[in-house]
Amino acid sequence: MSLLEIRDLRVTYGAGAAAVPAVRGVRLSLAPGRALGIAGESGCGKSTLALALLRLLPPSARLSGEILLDGEDVLTMRWGRLRAVRWAGASIVFQGAMHSLNAVRTAGDQIAEPIELHHGATPGAARKRAGELLAQVGLPAGRAASYPHELSGGQRQRVMIAMALACSPRLIVADEPTTALDVMIQAQILRLIGGLVAEQDIGLLMISHDLSVLADVCDRLAVMYAGRVVEEGPARAVYSAALHPYGQALSAAFPRIGDPASRGAPRGLPGDPPDPSALPDGCTFHPRCAVALEGCARDEPELTGNGAHRAACVRVGPSAEGSP
């Protein structure tokens, strides 16, 4: 049984003629002890998807479909049940720890708070557990007395991960957890996250624009564009042999160690993702696609492919019209 199953999830902002689609018909699943990566440029719907998992979107958002967490639909939960599921069932590591942590409370107090609220622990027991969690993420227990401004960027990110683990959730959602960190600290945080998934048999949904980061941590990878999943498959296969032209462009945008050609001239992708309020007809990627066909401006393809690696492109699958 899947830990997380997303079925035809759709998220729009606003209503009526002014409704803007941010997530369009996403279907994904995640098993315990596995990691699923979500990649794409800014504006492709990644963070909206992450926030939708625990209904953290603003009131202007309209959601449909199903988000099954251990078989229970998050979208139909009553408020009391949803409040219990947050932290204890699933938790989020937000992008930018300095903006997520309370500047006037110590790290230990912020980690202990959900333990007191959700597990009914005494303040002393909660603070002891906070020290244990800090040690688990590679920080001295004494750092519990530190305020966020007294910690480095990597240390603050570790505090955020400790907070996410505070109530022993089954699922962790990590939204760009290594943004703005230097490469050495990024590598440490990624090893830490990957180790926690394996050791504690939790599920991880990790969001990033960097396919190489996701390929190092995740088992599977989904690429989003204009609110849809346009490619999904084994992380290494998507990174090294993407089927969709957009996945290929994302992979080629980062220089690779040991490859002089990519290091000297990494390829980019001209233009920007389309405005969600004015999506083009047909395949939403076709205005930027170097290998678009005539029919791409008319029909929006569904995910197809052989086996576990699929892409939403007319060049993929049994009826493919050519190869990129």
Side-chain angles (χ1 to χ4, degrees):
M1 180 178 178
S2 295
L3 167 62
L4 174 69
E5 190 165 352
I6 303 170
R7 298 177 179 174
D8 196 27
L9 178 64
R10 298 176 185 273
V11 181
T12 59
Y13 292 103
V20 176
V23 173
R24 303 184 297 131
V26 168
R27 299 174 182 270
L28 293 169
S29 63
L30 175 64
R34 297 291 181 177
L36 171 65
I38 308 291
E41 295 169 283
S42 297
C44 288
K46 306 185 305 297
S47 292
T48 292
L49 174 64
L51 295 175
L53 298 183
L54 286 175
R55 283 168 47 189
L56 295 172
L57 293 168
S60 61
R62 300 289 182 269
L63 291 82
S64 65
E66 293 180 302
I67 301 173
L68 303 180
L69 183 60
D70 276 328
E72 190 174 3
D73 190 357
V74 172
L75 299 186
T76 60
M77 288 179 182
R78 294 182 178 273
W79 170 244
R81 177 57 182 156
L82 180 61
R83 185 174 181 272
V85 166
R86 292 172 177 171
W87 289 100
S91 59
I92 295 183
V93 179
F94 291 105
Q95 179 179 354
M98 192 61 184
H99 303 294
S100 301
L101 294 171
N102 189 327
V104 298
R105 300 190 66 195
T106 65
D109 285 345
Q110 295 183 65
I111 298 170
E113 181 179 21
I115 301 173
E116 294 181 41
L117 292 175
H118 288 271
H119 289 178
T122 64
R127 280 158 181 74
K128 179 182 178 182
R129 176 61 178 153
E132 294 171 351
L133 287 165
L134 286 174
Q136 187 175 346
V137 298
L139 286 177
R143 279 301 190 179
S146 300
Y147 289 89
H149 72 274
E150 297 175 315
L151 302 171
S152 70
Q155 290 173 332
R156 287 193 292 267
Q157 202 63 48
R158 289 170 188 266
V159 170
M160 288 291 296
I161 295 171
M163 289 176 65
L165 294 169
C167 296
S168 303
R170 296 261 291 147
L171 170 69
I172 291 181
V173 180
D175 187 1
E176 299 273 11
T178 59
T179 296
L181 299 179
D182 65 68
V183 292
M184 296 298 291
I185 299 300
Q186 175 178 276
Q188 294 173 16
I189 296 296
L190 293 177
R191 283 197 299 270
L192 170 64
I193 292 174
L196 291 172
V197 172
E199 293 167 9
Q200 301 191 19
D201 199 36
I202 59 178
L204 171 69
L205 189 145
M206 183 172 170
I207 293 171
S208 178
H209 62 279
D210 190 335
L211 264 67
S212 63
V213 165
L214 296 175
D216 282 342
V217 177
C218 300
D219 304 289
R220 297 189 65 79
L221 180 57
V223 177
M224 288 188 69
Y225 187 79
R228 293 185 72 220
V229 173
V230 297
E231 183 163 0
E232 195 265 336
R236 280 292 171 185
V238 174
Y239 175 57
S240 61
L243 299 176
H244 196 283
Y246 181 60
Q248 296 167 5
L250 285 182
S251 180
F254 296 92
R256 304 191 184 195
I257 295 175
D259 183 353
S262 70
R263 184 172 65 248
R267 289 178 289 163
L269 182 63
D272 298 296
D275 184 340
S277 64
L279 294 175
D281 293 333
C283 172
T284 50
F285 184 64
H286 87 265
R288 304 172 72 191
C289 183
V291 293
L293 302 171
E294 182 178 349
C296 295
R298 183 178 61 250
D299 302 314
E300 188 166 38
E302 297 297 324
L303 283 170
T304 185
N306 298 317
H309 193 175
R310 304 177 299 157
C313 180
V314 296
R315 296 178 178 272
V316 176
S319 58
E321 299 183 40
S323 58

